[in-house]
Amino acid sequence: FTYDAKEDAARVAVAPAEAPFAEHLVYTVEMPGPGQALVTLHWEKTRASLPVAIDVHAVVLASMERQFRGPQQYNWQAWNTAARYCLNNKVALDQGMKWVDRSLAITEAMPNLMTKADLLAAQGDTAQAATLRERALAVGTEPEVNTYGYQLMAAGQVDEAIAVFAKNVKDHPASWNAVDSLAEGYATKGDARRAIELYTRARTMAPAAQYKRIDGEIARLGAKK
């Protein structure tokens, strides 16, 4: 924890002399934020605040290092999760690269290939990142590729998502879910005609439990045409 003692003393010195009366000593945590909060003491008519801060990322990274001394060191998903933490929070990218390389040394799969691709892109190596993404899509399972498509769509990259969904349909033509996701991609893009065609196709393959939802999507898109 770090704080400025002089600043805290000043806070106490200028604290209101006539705070609302509190019979019992009370500590409260106010204004919590990422890695920081204001701890306030309130007793009788005295009120004093102490800002407290912690380097959250440093604590998390150190915790991960400790965990990798145990059984987690043999788990490729754990190394990948740690690398993804660095990427998502834009901290210790070099360390994240070392961790994802450890993950890949154990098992090469779509998730850790994508993590390394994203780390490379974050460090400016877009060419190698693109090559790795292609490799990742080539080894990805149907659910993994589908999930990646939704990640692209959530990021606003609708055309890229459609391309990924289309590849999944090509690779898994008998999957109603792959076709359904491609339909959703076109619906998000605003191409109602193509989306209806694909939803209709997905319905012919889908389990009965999906009929109501798919029919609802077709009706909604039909009303927009």
Side-chain angles (χ1 to χ4, degrees):
F1 294 90
T2 61
Y3 65 91
D4 188 322
K6 291 183 179 179
E7 180 182 342
D8 294 339
R11 286 174 181 268
V12 174
V14 300
E18 294 297 327
F21 182 80
E23 182 175 354
H24 302 288
L25 175 62
V26 176
Y27 289 96
T28 58
V29 178
E30 303 169 354
M31 298 186 297
Q36 61 185 12
L38 193 66
V39 179
T40 300
L41 174 154
H42 190 186
W43 192 16
E44 294 185 339
K45 292 186 177 182
T46 300
R47 186 183 183 90
S49 297
L50 176 70
V52 179
I54 185 171
D55 187 340
V56 175
H57 296 312
V59 171
V60 172
L61 294 172
S63 174
M64 289 175 177
E65 286 279 15
R66 288 193 297 273
Q67 291 179 51
F68 287 136
R69 296 171 191 160
Q72 292 285 23
Q73 65 183 294
Y74 305 110
N75 185 329
W76 71 266
Q77 292 97 331
W79 290 103
N80 184 56
T81 297
R84 201 81 209 176
Y85 177 89
C86 296
L87 177 67
N88 292 343
N89 292 282
K90 298 180 174 59
V91 295
L93 295 184
D94 289 339
Q95 181 63 64
M97 189 67 76
K98 292 177 183 177
W99 283 342
V100 77
D101 283 339
R102 289 290 299 269
S103 176
L104 288 164
I106 298 170
T107 297
E108 186 175 290
M110 181 175 173
N112 51 14
L113 284 168
M114 281 295 184
T115 296
K116 181 161 186 178
D118 292 343
L119 280 166
L120 286 167
Q123 294 178 330
D125 192 346
T126 55
Q128 191 174 349
T131 299
L132 269 183
R133 287 196 184 100
E134 289 182 9
R135 191 159 129 209
L137 287 170
V139 302
T141 64
E142 179 194 340
E144 287 173 341
V145 173
N146 212 49
T147 297
Y148 180 59
Y150 279 109
Q151 289 171 351
L152 290 171
M153 200 153 62
Q157 298 174 265
V158 179
D159 288 335
E160 291 84 349
I162 288 174
V164 169
F165 290 143
K167 178 187 182 304
N168 219 17
V169 170
K170 181 180 178 181
D171 293 341
H172 307 279
S175 169
W176 73 268
N177 191 51
V179 177
D180 184 86
S181 295
L182 182 56
E184 187 174 346
Y186 277 106
T188 301
K189 185 176 181 178
D191 189 339
R193 182 191 62 79
R194 183 64 176 136
I196 289 173
E197 289 176 356
L198 288 162
Y199 273 127
T200 302
R201 176 180 164 190
R203 192 185 190 282
T204 64
M205 301 183 287
Q210 295 293 329
Y211 290 173
K212 183 178 180 180
R213 180 188 61 80
I214 294 174
D215 289 342
E217 290 298 322
I218 291 173
R220 181 181 64 83
L221 290 164
K224 290 184 177 181
K225 290 177 65 177

